[in-house]
């Protein structure tokens, strides 16, 4: 049996950061003139801008949080846990691509200037934590391999 170590904490923080980012304001559209600014979340804009629905970034973040929880619960299978960590990184990079695409398209559709808010960096922190979790998982795999080789020698 594998003893869960620091990677559980890293993956838990990835799940929390991904879930929180899905519901916070990541940008603001400031229209020209006297119009009120429009808050942009991964779920879309606070006011109707154009005719498209932009919920894909939030779906990617919620799926990333679910994958992080799955990785935590897969502690007995280190290879699966590593693969899920890599999947997390890919999903969060896809989130960034999708969110920037949404911000640019909303900005162009409304003719407003886009201002990025600090919560947009939370998935970047989650990516770093996922990398740290993968390194910790690889360290555990090495420890298990060494323990198994010592057990076979005795």
């Amino acid at each position: 049996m594998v003893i869960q170590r620091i990677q559980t904490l890293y993956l838990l923080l990835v799940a929390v950061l991904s879930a929180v980012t899905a519901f916070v304001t990541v940008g603001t559209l400031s229209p020209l003139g006297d119009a009120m600014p429009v808050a942009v979340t991964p779920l879309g804009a606070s006011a109707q801008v154009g005719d498209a629905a932009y919920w894909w970034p939030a779906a990617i973040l919620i799926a990333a949080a679910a994958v992080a929880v799955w990785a935590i619960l897969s502690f007995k299978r280190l290879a699966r846990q590593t693969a899920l960590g890599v999947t997390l990184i890919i999903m969060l990079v896809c989130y960034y691509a999708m969110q920037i695409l949404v911000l640019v398209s909303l900005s162009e559709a409304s003719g407003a200037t886009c201002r990025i808010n600090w919560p947009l960096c939370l998935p970047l922190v989650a990516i770093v934590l996922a990398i740290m979790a993968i390194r910790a998982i690889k360290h555990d795999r090495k420890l298990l391999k060494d323990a198994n080789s010592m057990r076979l020698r005795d």
Side-chain angles (χ1 to χ4, degrees), residues 66-78:
V67 168
V69 171
W70 184 17
I72 292 170
L73 297 176
S74 297
F75 64 92
K76 289 186 180 182
R77 296 193 173 127
L78 293 178

Side-chain angles (χ1 to χ4, degrees), residues 11-140:
L11 291 170
L12 184 63
L13 287 172
V14 168
V16 168
L17 288 175
S18 297
V20 166
T21 306
F23 301 104
V24 297
T25 302
V26 294
T28 307
L29 295 175
S30 301
L32 302 172
D34 294 335
M36 292 291 293
V38 176
V40 179
T41 67
L43 290 168
S46 62
Q48 183 67 24
V49 178
D51 58 350
Y54 298 105
W55 53 270
W56 286 101
I60 292 172
L61 287 171
I62 297 300
V67 168
V69 171
W70 184 17
I72 292 170
L73 297 176
S74 297
F75 64 92
K76 289 186 180 182
R77 296 193 173 127
L78 293 178
R80 178 186 293 170
Q81 205 175 29
T82 304
L84 289 172
V86 171
T87 305
L88 271 171
I89 293 169
I90 293 169
M91 290 175 79
L92 291 171
V93 168
C94 288
Y95 161 75
Y96 269 116
M98 184 70 71
Q99 189 64 55
I100 288 174
L101 178 71
V102 166
L103 286 171
V104 168
S105 64
L106 284 175
S107 178
E108 288 176 357
S110 66
T113 58
C114 181
R115 194 174 126 238
I116 295 174
N117 294 349
W118 69 268
L120 194 59
C121 73
L122 292 178
L124 183 61
V125 174
I127 289 171
V128 171
L129 289 169
I131 291 169
M132 292 170 63
I134 290 171
R135 290 184 64 184
I137 293 165
K138 286 182 180 179
H139 184 262
D140 275 1

